[in-house]
Amino acid sequence: KRLTPPSPSKPPSGEDNLFTFDVNPPPSPRPQASKKQKKKKSRKRKARDDVSTNSSQTSTSVGPSSSNVSFSTQQQKQPHPLAVSAYALDGSATSKLSSITSLTLGSWPSVSHSALRSLSLTLGPSLKHVSFRNCRELTNDMLEGFGCRLISLESLDLQGCRSIGDQGCRAFSDFCGLTLTSIDLSHCPLLSHDALGWISGCLGHNKPGCRNLRSIDVSDCTSINDSGLEYLGRGCRKLKYAAFRNDIRVTSKGLTKLAEGCRVLRVLNVENCNQVDNKGLIALGMNCKELLSLNFSRVSSITDHGIAGLSIGCPRLQALNIAGAKKISEAGLCALAQRCSNLATLNCGGCELVTRNGLLALIAGLSYVTEAKTFFGFIPVKNSTTVKLKAQQELIETDAATKIQNAWHNLIVRREAKKMVRFLKRDKAALVIQLSFQRYLKRKVHWLRRYHYHRNLASIELQRCLRGYWGRKKASVLKEWWADLKKNEHYAVILQAKARGHHVRIHDKLVAPALIVLHEEGEQA
């Protein structure tokens, strides 16, 4: 059963779209023809079959508010409506189609350069999504003439355009490389690695290339080799979705260069690239941490060692297709299940070393998966989304409760800290007051000591002054007295002599009788 490509915005899930790796956005739904647009005066013109618009996902008439137009063709009707585009896009139709953003020209059998040129001149500035799927007559010159005015192009689908080569890729990379985010080049056998060089901007002088490219599909382009993948890794570092299905020249060396440059890669398809081995898987595990879906089906050279290296570096892996890998055993799947807890889809059909009992044991160890019925592997359970939502809700509630508790604890801690800060501020203020008061007391004591010291000095000086005054006064009195004595010295001498004579006479009167008595007693003895 051929793997059909789904939308890249949603990861593959379920059995119907298992391991689908289309990297282009889904084409707009083809609206049905609107009969109201067919006017009586336009019957003479070569009517357009399916011209419609799609605004808000509903089919409406072509008008100023139109955002999507689809030109579907049937080979039974000739000529094609766009064969007379110079006449069809004239007058009021030009103003009505000026706001169209999506254009689908799938399987156009009579494509011409003049018609594409007219479409480019009329719709070019507003177009964002263009599809030329299975237009085998589309050539490089036509694509170059059509892309000269596509200044807002975001998505380009060239699947099955077998006449498109490297020159066409160089043309649209020059004209709309800055805005282009998605391109499908699958089933274009004329493309080589140089086409990826022009797209990435690695070839040519001062060429920006498609720096904002998010998705690319070059499946079934047998001339693509490792050089092309190296170009993508060097110039398209924002690449998220890549498909290299049936590109037999791609090896592990090119895959390693791609993984080292495109570290945000999420979806990768290397189905039937037999020259890729364990080194490519290990390189993906070391560099592409955001990888979600990987298709390695019909790659027989990978072993358990490569699966273990992939599981170590890609814990977010959700889907893996290793159908036809005969060297992978249950040990590799166990290592994958232990580290990739989000793994929901696995296709291991053709893995001869993996038994059903081992697969059931692996399913028992994983959550939200069940055994697949259409292939050998497992898929998500029917109510996996609801169960996961409930589990996530419980985790969110637990996390919220933990955060509330932590917030409350932090609030209490902050309150206690504020209290402590206020206490420390008050304590510091009190300490400052105490220190200030102590300094005041010290200054007061020092002032008192200086006061008493100066007062004592003043009293001593006063006493000295007083003693000097009284000494001088006493000396003056004594001096006067001494002067008087000097003046009356003669009289004093006379007076003294008389006083001494008087005292002697008195003394003689008292002593003489005593001496007589003593003399008499001595004689008697």
Side-chain angles (χ1 to χ4, degrees):
K1 181 180 179 180
R2 184 178 179 275
L3 302 179
T4 57
S7 171
S9 58
K10 297 182 180 179
S13 61
E15 297 188 28
D16 296 333
N17 57 354
L18 181 65
F19 302 112
T20 55
F21 298 88
D22 188 10
V23 298
N24 293 300
S28 303
R30 179 177 297 178
Q32 298 179 358
S34 177
K35 296 181 180 180
K36 295 181 180 180
Q37 293 297 317
K38 295 181 180 180
K39 297 180 181 180
K40 296 180 180 180
K41 294 181 179 181
S42 61
R43 292 179 181 177
K44 296 180 180 181
R45 302 176 183 177
K46 295 182 179 181
R48 297 180 297 275
D49 287 335
D50 296 326
V51 179
S52 60
T53 60
N54 184 11
S55 64
S56 66
Q57 302 298 326
T58 57
S59 177
T60 59
S61 61
V62 176
S65 61
S66 302
S67 60
N68 182 290
V69 62
S70 175
F71 295 89
S72 61
T73 62
Q74 296 180 0
Q75 298 182 359
Q76 292 79 2
K77 297 181 179 181
Q78 295 292 338
H80 193 271
L82 292 180
V84 289
S85 59
Y87 180 76
L89 297 176
D90 192 11
S92 61
T94 302
S95 61
K96 291 182 179 181
L97 299 178
S98 60
S99 60
I100 292 175
T101 60
S102 181
L103 179 65
T104 302
L105 301 173
S107 303
W108 187 3
S110 57
V111 59
S112 63
H113 184 79
S114 59
L116 291 179
R117 183 70 175 179
S118 300
L119 284 174
S120 175
L121 294 174
T122 306
L123 309 178
S126 62
L127 283 178
K128 294 184 178 180
H129 307 284
V130 176
S131 175
F132 288 100
R133 180 168 295 191
N134 296 326
C135 289
R136 300 190 177 185
E137 298 181 5
L138 183 68
T139 62
N140 295 326
D141 296 336
M142 294 180 184
L143 187 61
E144 184 176 359
F146 177 73
C148 61
R149 287 177 54 84
L150 301 181
I151 59 176
S152 303
L153 188 65
E154 297 179 1
S155 175
L156 180 62
D157 186 359
L158 297 176
Q159 178 182 353
C161 299
R162 297 184 175 274
S163 300
I164 296 297
D166 299 341
Q167 182 182 354
C169 295
R170 176 182 180 180
F172 69 75
S173 66
D174 291 341
F175 294 137
C176 49
L178 297 178
T179 60
L180 196 63
T181 59
S182 176
I183 183 170
D184 187 353
L185 298 172
S186 57
H187 303 283
C188 296
L190 298 181
L191 294 180
S192 66
H193 59 277
D194 290 339
L196 300 183
W198 292 112
I199 292 174
S200 61
C202 296
L203 296 181
H205 177 66
N206 198 18
K207 297 293 184 179
C210 304
R211 298 291 182 180
N212 298 319
L213 193 65
R214 299 294 193 277
S215 62
I216 187 171
D217 187 354
V218 288
S219 301
D220 295 294
C221 299
T222 56
S223 299
I224 299 294
N225 55 17
D226 294 339
S227 299
L229 273 67
E230 184 177 358
Y231 289 148
L232 290 178
R234 287 167 51 189
C236 302
R237 295 184 176 273
K238 298 180 181 180
L239 197 64
K240 294 184 178 181
Y241 308 94
F244 305 99
R245 185 175 59 251
N246 297 327
D247 294 344
I248 57 177
R249 295 187 180 183
V250 173
T251 66
S252 295
K253 181 180 179 181
L255 195 61
T256 301
K257 296 294 183 180
L258 179 70
E260 291 176 353
C262 305
R263 293 180 176 270
V264 295
L265 197 64
R266 294 187 178 182
V267 178
L268 179 63
N269 185 359
V270 289
E271 179 185 351
N272 198 26
C273 297
N274 291 320
Q275 298 188 36
V276 177
D277 54 11
N278 293 332
K279 295 181 180 179
L281 279 176
I282 295 175
L284 289 174
M286 293 176 60
N287 299 283
C288 302
K289 306 297 182 181
E290 299 182 6
L291 194 64
L292 300 178
S293 182
L294 182 62
N295 188 353
F296 261 77
S297 61
R298 293 188 291 174
V299 181
S300 58
S301 57
I302 58 175
T303 61
D304 294 339
H305 180 65
I307 294 295
L310 176 69
S311 63
I312 293 174
C314 301
R316 300 175 58 184
L317 192 64
Q318 296 180 3
L320 178 63
N321 188 352
I322 51 175
K326 299 181 179 181
K327 298 180 181 180
I328 294 179
S329 64
E330 296 175 356
L333 297 184
C334 290
L336 187 69
Q338 289 177 357
R339 298 184 179 94
C340 301
S341 57
N342 294 328
L343 190 64
T345 307
L346 175 66
N347 185 355
C348 53
C351 299
E352 299 176 354
L353 301 179
V354 179
T355 62
R356 186 172 182 274
N357 293 331
L359 179 64
L360 294 178
L362 182 64
I363 293 173
L366 295 174
S367 303
Y368 318 122
V369 297
T370 184
E371 185 180 6
K373 297 181 180 179
T374 57
F375 60 90
F376 186 65
F378 57 78
I379 58 173
V381 296
K382 293 183 179 179
N383 59 342
S384 61
T385 304
T386 305
V387 176
K388 286 183 179 180
L389 287 176
K390 289 182 179 179
Q392 291 178 358
Q393 183 177 1
E394 292 178 358
L395 290 176
I396 292 172
E397 292 176 354
T398 305
D399 188 25
T402 304
K403 289 183 179 179
I404 293 173
Q405 292 177 358
N406 294 335
W408 178 252
H409 177 70
N410 294 335
L411 178 62
I412 295 175
V413 171
R414 288 196 299 271
R415 287 180 178 177
E416 295 295 333
K418 288 181 180 179
K419 290 181 180 179
M420 182 60 66
V421 169
R422 289 195 295 268
F423 172 75
L424 292 176
K425 287 183 178 179
R426 289 196 298 266
D427 188 31
K428 184 177 180 180
L431 182 61
V432 171
I433 294 172
Q434 290 178 1
L435 294 176
S436 301
F437 187 69
Q438 289 178 1
R439 288 193 293 268
Y440 167 73
L441 292 179
K442 288 182 180 180
R443 288 195 300 270
K444 186 176 181 180
V445 170
H446 179 69
W447 179 81
L448 289 175
R449 288 179 179 177
R450 289 180 60 85
Y451 171 73
H452 289 299
Y453 174 74
H454 288 292
R455 189 176 65 177
N456 292 336
L457 289 179
S459 61
I460 292 171
E461 185 67 21
L462 183 61
Q463 291 175 7
R464 187 179 64 81
C465 294
L466 289 175
R467 283 194 299 269
Y469 171 74
W470 288 112
R472 288 191 299 272
K473 188 173 182 181
K474 186 177 181 179
S476 64
V477 172
L478 290 175
K479 187 176 181 181
E480 292 178 358
W481 180 72
W482 184 254
D484 292 340
L485 287 179
K486 286 286 185 183
K487 185 177 180 182
N488 298 321
E489 180 180 3
H490 178 68
Y491 300 103
V493 172
I494 296 173
L495 184 61
Q496 288 178 1
K498 289 182 177 181
R500 280 195 298 270
H502 176 70
H503 285 295
V504 168
R505 285 191 297 274
I506 294 175
H507 182 268
D508 290 341
K509 289 180 179 181
L510 294 175
V511 174
L515 290 175
I516 294 171
V517 173
L518 289 174
H519 182 68
E520 290 179 352
E521 289 180 357
E523 288 181 355
Q524 291 178 3

